[in-house]
Amino acid sequence: MENSILYNLPFDPVILIIGFSVLNLVLLAAVIVCIIKMNKLYRRYDVFMRGKDAETLEDTIMEILDQLKEMNTKDRASKDMMKVLSKQVKDSFQKFGFVKYNAFKGMGGNLSFVIAMLNDNNTGFILDVVHSREGCYLYLKEVEEGATEVLLGSEEQEALEQALGYVKRPGLSEQIEKKKRKIRFR
């Protein structure tokens, strides 16, 4: 009767034996991988602990914590210094425009000039230097947030617009080309 139960299974017992054999091989491979990883970890632990006892390990950890505190203090000081430097950069003159011109036609060349210098907030000054036979005259006009309280001349307005980025400053080759065109039209 017992033999009849084994022979009446809905599947072949050989398949069951093969399945368990494959499962055993997979588990054996997993055990071997775990043993290898454990040996590597043990070697790393052994290298770490070699020559150290619990007291020296504690001292090492305390030294590392002290270094970390010192680095945090230096980091805070660096961040504070960066804020100060950033503010100084914003307050410094970083935008400029200039225009050379002939203040008095027929009296020399383009010896007069205008310089506009502005900070990050478009605040600064316009310096107009007028050259004549009698001397050289300087005029300074304050600029607050891109505007002035006094009326600007065309050269001063152009220098201010250059500094504000509205007008592109002519390069040296463009200035030479402009002079050549003036000479041709005379």
Side-chain angles (χ1 to χ4, degrees):
M1 193 67 152
E2 290 179 20
N3 287 341
S4 65
I5 294 175
L6 287 176
Y7 292 117
N8 290 336
L9 291 175
F11 55 87
D12 192 10
V14 174
I15 294 174
L16 190 61
I17 292 170
I18 291 173
F20 282 133
S21 298
V22 169
L23 182 63
N24 275 337
L25 289 175
V26 169
L27 291 174
L28 181 65
V31 167
I32 291 171
V33 168
C34 287
I35 289 171
I36 291 171
K37 286 187 177 185
M38 188 180 75
N39 284 339
K40 284 182 183 178
L41 182 62
Y42 179 75
R43 281 193 296 265
R44 289 174 62 194
Y45 174 77
D46 189 45
V47 167
F48 179 72
M49 294 302 286
R50 191 172 293 147
K52 295 186 178 185
D53 57 3
E55 290 178 16
T56 57
L57 186 59
E58 181 182 0
D59 292 340
T60 304
I61 292 172
M62 294 307 289
E63 286 176 20
I64 291 172
L65 288 176
D66 289 341
Q67 289 174 354
L68 184 63
K69 287 178 185 176
E70 184 180 333
M71 288 162 84
N72 283 338
T73 304
K74 287 181 180 179
D75 182 49
R76 173 57 44 209
S78 295
K79 286 180 181 177
D80 292 342
M81 184 59 73
M82 290 297 289
K83 286 180 184 177
V84 169
L85 290 174
S86 178
K87 184 178 181 333
Q88 287 177 350
V89 165
K90 286 183 179 182
D91 290 341
S92 67
F93 295 122
Q94 48 187 292
K95 302 174 187 177
F96 70 97
F98 66 92
V99 175
K100 288 181 72 173
Y101 66 98
N102 189 352
F104 304 103
K105 305 294 182 204
M107 296 177 63
N110 290 343
L111 298 176
S112 300
F113 61 92
V114 177
I115 296 175
M117 296 185 75
L118 305 174
N119 65 10
D120 190 53
N121 297 327
N122 295 329
T123 300
F125 64 88
I126 297 173
L127 179 66
D128 191 355
V129 179
V130 180
H131 181 74
S132 70
R133 287 185 182 164
E134 292 82 32
C136 189
Y137 302 96
L138 302 174
Y139 300 96
L140 184 71
K141 298 179 181 178
E142 292 184 44
V143 179
E144 288 288 329
E145 297 179 352
T148 61
E149 293 180 2
V150 294
L151 189 62
L152 297 177
S154 62
E155 293 86 5
E156 294 168 332
Q157 186 66 37
E158 184 179 348
L160 180 60
E161 288 175 357
Q162 284 179 8
L164 291 171
Y166 301 147
V167 176
K168 181 183 171 196
R169 277 190 291 277
L172 187 59
S173 59
E174 293 169 346
Q175 290 176 358
I176 292 171
E177 187 64 34
K178 188 176 176 182
K179 286 181 183 179
K180 286 181 182 177
R181 276 188 256 142
K182 282 185 180 179
I183 292 172
R184 280 188 226 151
F185 291 120
R186 286 186 186 174

